[in-house]
Amino acid sequence: MASVFKRGGKNNRNGYYYISWYDHDGKRHVKCAKTTDKATAERIARKHEADAALRREGVVDPALDGISKESRRTIEEHLADYEAKLRTAGSAPRYVENTLMHIRAIAAKAELRLVGDITAEKVNRFAGGLREGGSSARTVASYLGSIKSFAKWLAAHHKLPRDPLASVRKPNAQADRKRERRMLLPEEWRWLEATVPSGPDRFGMSGPERLLLYRTAIATGLRSNELRSLTRGRLFLTADRPYITCKAGSTKNRKDARQYVPADLAELLRKHVGTKLSGAALFSMPHPTELATMLRADLEAARAEWLKQSVKDPDEYARREQSDFLAAKNHEGEHLDFHALRHTCGAWLAMKGVHPKVVQQVMRHSAITLTMDTYGHLFPGDEAAAVDRLQDVLSATPMELRATGTDDSIADPRSSAQRIVQQSGRDESRRNASGCSAEKRPASAAAFPKPMGRSTLSGPVRDDAAGGDEWGRGDSNPQRTDYESAALTD
């Protein structure tokens, strides 16, 4: 039972009543009622006693009390715990800083002080203000991604009863990208190969080292941070299939990456790291903000040499001067920066006819749709030939369809069965003539003819060589050819 009483002494100069009650767990609580009226204090006491009874009987979930208490804490208080969670999970320092900056910016602009103040309406109004202010969809998506992750964490750790931003949708970050990239053309690469080695040092890198960096970026599709993390100990250039590895901490998807390299590039890298220590960086790369500037300077030097070759022909010189060849930005606004070298890797693989699934694995895309959206237009298309094959069926006569087995609806099943029996009889005669008795053969082998050898990309092979047995039965679980390891070399 709850009780009401007064405390004497200096601690109760105002004459307030105090309340004593036991909660649903049997723990005693004492609280000042902040009133000098005994009837009012008794009503407050009965309220606490009734709440404890509801929780004791299971009518009200006691866990909601903790959630209610957490929701009255400030966003800044919770951000300290959220930052610790991000750093413990291994998030990159830059990602942690940007995430906290986004959340604080939204809280200040939308006047969010407590986590209980976070609502979908306020966050959507903030996002709308960003769009009206000229921010790109990618920027807005970045802000919303940060606050949505924070709200989801609050709900998962019982700091809020539910995720208040579950209904908030991020805009399509690709809808209005301000920086479109293009691939480096093979002909442009030839001019870079010819001019970069003899060029001056740029940002602490010599010409030969810059060319090796560009070649490695194109051959592997590694990002600039991934290339920056490479050391001599991450190179496995003496393996049957040379490859390099990147630690999960330096990759975008936080997974270890293994990228195969062509034999000629492996030889160049082997010579390059010959005098380096095991933990030394593979390339002395400049600051990330200077990589694009370095590549643009090399492109400009190569373009100047390309224009110089036609200086004696005014018409050809004018034509070259108006072209986009080796230009850092073409007439369509597409840029050729350092990240474009990764784009070049995927584009060249697609142009060589490498299977899209293999391109996805080399580029380490999370889904094949991303690969097809980026490089789908470059894959060799056989749409016209496929349509021509449909015409063969549309114009075929019933006799031609029956001969090819296409028109099953008009085929006579009895005649098919008769052909199988006759074929089996002929096979039986051949086997008897060769001295092989039916008792020594499986029943299935006695009833059906041995199939012909299968065909692969490199030509026909015997069934026993491809995993079959002596009776010609093929492997029930054939293994795929390892296309990935040979994709870049080919």
Side-chain angles (χ1 to χ4, degrees), residues 410-423:
I410 61 175
D412 186 356
R414 291 175 298 179
S415 61
S416 301
Q418 185 177 3
R419 286 195 300 271
I420 293 176
V421 172
Q422 292 173 349
Q423 181 65 38

Side-chain angles (χ1 to χ4, degrees), residues 449-465:
K450 180 177 180 178
M452 297 293 292
R454 293 175 295 173
S455 176
T456 66
L457 293 176
S458 60
V461 297
R462 290 177 50 193
D463 282 314
D464 54 349

Side-chain angles (χ1 to χ4, degrees), residues 200-223:
D201 291 358
R202 304 187 194 277
F203 300 99
M205 293 189 72
S206 64
E209 186 180 16
R210 292 199 309 275
L211 183 64
L212 184 60
L213 172 64
Y214 300 155
R215 182 188 293 271
T216 305
I218 294 176
T220 62
L222 293 177
R223 301 174 177 88

